[in-house]
Amino acid sequence: MAGHLLDKGHRLTVWSRTPEKSNPLAAKGAAVASSLEELAHSCDIVFLCVTRNEDVEQCVRGLQPGAKPGFLVVDHSTVSPVLARAMHGFLSEHGANFLDAPITGGSMGALKGQLTIFCGGEQADFDRAAPVMEAYAKRAELVGGPGLGQTMKLANQIAVGGALLALCESLAFAKKAGLDLAQTRELLSTGAAGSWAFENYGPKILAEDWSPGFSVTNQRKDFAYTLEAARLLDSAVPGTALVDRLLSRLEEEGHSDWTTAALYQTLVESGFESWT
Amino acid sequence: MAGHLLDKGHRLTVWSRTPEKSNPLAAKGAAVASSLEELAHSCDIVFLCVTRNEDVEQCVRGLQPGAKPGFLVVDHSTVSPVLARAMHGFLSEHGANFLDAPITGGSMGALKGQLTIFCGGEQADFDRAAPVMEAYAKRAELVGGPGLGQTMKLANQIAVGGALLALCESLAFAKKAGLDLAQTRELLSTGAAGSWAFENYGPKILAEDWSPGFSVTNQRKDFAYTLEAARLLDSAVPGTALVDRLLSRLEEEGHSDWTTAALYQTLVESGFESWT
């Protein structure tokens, strides 16, 4: 994402919790800040992409003392809507601005500059960030006020989890029934069962290739925020809760870094009564 | 389907449990048999499309006494693989043949002659039926021996159920969270959550239009056969079991004939703890 900003001619200063990660960008012409405060002081907009609530909070609190008037943090991490609203509030109290802006499209979308970005916050902040995000997004939309960008991302993860379950459960059943898996995947892809997951994860399942893609740990992190948000909204998400329980088995077995399509293997190894 | 056979120039004799249903076909030139036995006697191949195990068994037992040597029944109903294997065995004992050949593509696929057909049985029987089925199918494949056509259809229904859950659960969550539903459906359709269900059922959910499409009752009939097959295979299908429980609520509320996308409404009316 930062590389695309450089390629499009933006002036870029970078900072990473793991300093050596900045080297390739420095070699391409990016300045490197020595602290979050220095980074904030040298930038109009800081784009943040970390993992969990606590990472976002630590970064935002580290940036704030260096903020100049009109300073804007755009957070591309997937975290809790509650934390996003707290960060909006915190920066706003200090005269700065925050846009929650989780991304979808995976590492391939980032490499190709084809991410989709769900933004929550003020229209004026979105309007400032949008022309910059164009460098790595095929699409960025303001979906509502503070926290609603994260909420849209969680709705997306609910649907992604359900599509994963649909794929893995049907192929595990086909496997046990003695159907040809390649034929099953191909036939089911073309009709009412068709999905992005069938097209993209299906081949990994046929190859039983669980090498890292979107990991079990990252999916469960997103589900933890989803289940928290659903509880606060009193919204029923039984499918998400089920997929989370299935993935927890992979974690218990030491496969946290496997791609989520390994849920297929959990189902193949389970009996009819196991999860009902 | 029968209309397409006439349109393609096949000689057609029809019989229906509801005699007046034959009238439009008779008006187009089809002969009408007065009994199943007479139908079997006047045909080389009979294509059957009814609803449940007991309907298929009744029809096959009614046809058998009229069967000439080489007589073939092609069953387009979605029923249990166990029943399909029993019908193969029964006709085979009487010198006749059976192909289980459930269809997918819905009433629209039938009207347009664009169905997909999963066939289980003998290669020779498939080879006889395939050129005729071309009249109403975009695709027909032999997927294995007796019963495996039905098994493939059940694998398809597992994936269809999961895709329905993914769609309804994500949109119900979005609704409760105050997101714009049209924007949510559209944004989620374009990425890793995308599916046939999002494209085709999404608009019905936005309109809260539960008018008959694929009905709750028919989906639960398919799930009953799926759960029976999964139990026999000791295969874990917790997603299917969950969707079946959710749809049972619609039946209890008197909405058996609603389209399955009404599962969205069940979720909107449920609290976080309801189904977990």
Side-chain angles (χ1 to χ4, degrees):
Chain A
M1 293 157 76
H4 286 294
L5 289 173
L6 275 180
D7 293 343
K8 298 283 161 59
H10 293 284
R11 275 195 306 130
L12 184 71
T13 303
V14 296
W15 179 86
S16 174
R17 292 174 296 179
T18 315
E20 58 272 26
K21 286 194 182 171
S22 301
N23 295 346
L25 292 161
K28 287 180 71 181
V32 179
S34 63
S35 70
L36 283 165
E37 189 175 339
E38 186 189 310
L39 181 73
H41 195 69
S42 62
C43 295
D44 301 313
I45 310 181
V46 165
F47 297 91
L48 188 63
C49 197
V50 288
T51 306
R52 292 169 188 276
N53 280 352
E54 51 272 31
D55 305 318
V56 170
E57 181 157 14
Q58 196 177 28
C59 289
V60 169
R61 291 190 183 277
L63 289 162
Q64 183 273 320
K68 295 174 295 186
F71 180 68
L72 172 62
V73 174
V74 177
D75 179 26
H76 288 318
S77 322
T78 294
V79 295
S80 153
V82 174
L83 188 273
R85 283 192 291 272
M87 294 299 97
H88 278 272
F90 169 75
L91 285 181
S92 162
E93 282 166 22
H94 292 83
N97 308 289
F98 185 87
L99 198 67
D100 51 295
I103 55 182
T104 176
S107 51
M108 197 49 72
L111 274 171
K112 293 184 179 170
Q114 292 288 305
L115 296 168
T116 294
I117 310 181
F118 310 129
C119 300
E122 305 300 325
Q123 183 74 51
D125 295 327
F126 175 76
D127 291 343
R128 279 175 67 199
V132 187
M133 296 190 293
E134 256 177 27
Y136 47 83
K138 66 175 174 186
R139 191 157 177 190
E141 275 193 31
L142 185 67
V143 301
L148 282 179
Q150 295 295 350
T151 304
M152 182 66 83
K153 177 66 187 280
L154 299 184
N156 187 73
Q157 298 308 75
I158 291 170
V160 164
L164 179 73
L165 180 63
L167 169 71
C168 295
E169 186 165 310
S170 61
L171 291 186
F173 173 86
K175 171 81 172 178
K176 287 207 173 171
L179 289 166
D180 180 271
L181 272 199
Q183 190 182 28
T184 303
R185 190 208 70 81
E186 204 275 317
L187 275 172
L188 270 49
S189 293
T190 59
S195 67
W196 186 97
F198 258 91
E199 292 299 327
N200 290 273
Y201 288 146
K204 288 194 86 120
I205 290 176
L206 296 190
E208 300 196 13
D209 167 16
W210 316 129
S211 62
F214 189 62
S215 73
V216 168
T217 297
N218 270 330
Q219 182 69 272
R220 291 202 72 212
K221 176 210 56 147
D222 292 359
F223 282 163
Y225 298 137
T226 306
L227 292 166
E228 177 203 48
R231 188 183 288 276
L232 290 169
L233 294 163
D234 198 26
S235 181
V237 290
T240 304
L242 170 61
V243 178
D244 187 57
R245 282 198 297 134
L246 285 160
L247 292 177
S248 75
R249 171 71 60 88
L250 285 167
E251 283 205 325
E252 285 161 21
E253 292 173 345
H255 305 311
S256 307
D257 60 331
W258 281 7
T259 187
T260 55
L263 191 146
Y264 162 82
Q265 183 172 298
T266 301
L267 287 169
V268 167
E269 289 168 358
S270 300
F272 178 73
E273 301 285 358
S274 309
W275 301 95
T276 45
Chain B
M1 293 157 75
H4 286 294
L5 288 173
L6 275 180
D7 293 344
K8 297 284 161 59
H10 293 284
R11 276 195 306 130
L12 184 70
T13 303
V14 296
W15 179 87
S16 173
R17 293 174 296 179
T18 316
E20 57 272 25
K21 285 193 181 172
S22 301
N23 294 347
L25 291 161
K28 287 180 72 180
V32 179
S34 63
S35 69
L36 282 165
E37 189 175 340
E38 187 190 308
L39 181 74
H41 196 70
S42 62
C43 295
D44 301 313
I45 310 181
V46 165
F47 297 91
L48 187 64
C49 197
V50 288
T51 307
R52 292 170 187 277
N53 280 352
E54 51 272 31
D55 305 318
V56 171
E57 181 157 13
Q58 195 177 27
C59 289
V60 169
R61 290 189 184 278
L63 288 163
Q64 184 273 319
K68 294 174 295 185
F71 180 67
L72 172 62
V73 174
V74 177
D75 179 26
H76 287 318
S77 322
T78 295
V79 294
S80 154
V82 175
L83 188 272
R85 283 192 291 271
M87 294 299 97
H88 278 271
F90 169 74
L91 285 182
S92 161
E93 282 166 22
H94 291 84
N97 308 289
F98 186 87
L99 199 66
D100 52 295
I103 54 183
T104 177
S107 50
M108 197 51 71
L111 274 170
K112 293 185 178 168
Q114 292 287 306
L115 296 168
T116 294
I117 309 181
F118 310 130
C119 301
E122 305 299 327
Q123 183 74 50
D125 295 327
F126 175 76
D127 291 344
R128 279 175 68 199
V132 186
M133 297 189 293
E134 255 177 28
Y136 47 82
K138 67 176 173 185
R139 192 157 177 191
E141 276 194 30
L142 185 67
V143 301
L148 282 179
Q150 294 295 351
T151 304
M152 182 66 83
K153 176 67 187 282
L154 299 184
N156 187 73
Q157 298 309 75
I158 291 170
V160 164
L164 179 74
L165 180 63
L167 170 70
C168 295
E169 186 164 310
S170 61
L171 291 186
F173 173 86
K175 172 80 172 179
K176 287 207 172 171
L179 289 167
D180 180 89
L181 271 199
Q183 190 182 27
T184 303
R185 190 208 69 81
E186 204 274 318
L187 275 172
L188 270 48
S189 294
T190 59
S195 68
W196 186 97
F198 257 90
E199 292 299 328
N200 290 274
Y201 288 146
K204 287 195 85 118
I205 291 176
L206 297 189
E208 301 197 12
D209 167 15
W210 317 130
S211 62
F214 189 61
S215 72
V216 169
T217 297
N218 269 330
Q219 182 69 272
R220 291 203 71 213
K221 177 211 56 150
D222 292 359
F223 283 164
Y225 298 137
T226 306
L227 292 167
E228 176 203 49
R231 188 183 288 277
L232 290 170
L233 294 163
D234 198 26
S235 182
V237 290
T240 304
L242 170 61
V243 178
D244 186 57
R245 282 197 297 134
L246 285 159
L247 292 177
S248 76
R249 170 71 60 88
L250 285 166
E251 283 205 326
E252 285 160 22
E253 292 173 344
H255 305 312
S256 307
D257 62 330
W258 280 8
T259 187
T260 54
L263 192 146
Y264 162 82
Q265 183 172 297
T266 300
L267 287 169
V268 167
E269 289 169 358
S270 301
F272 178 73
E273 301 283 359
S274 308
W275 301 96
T276 44

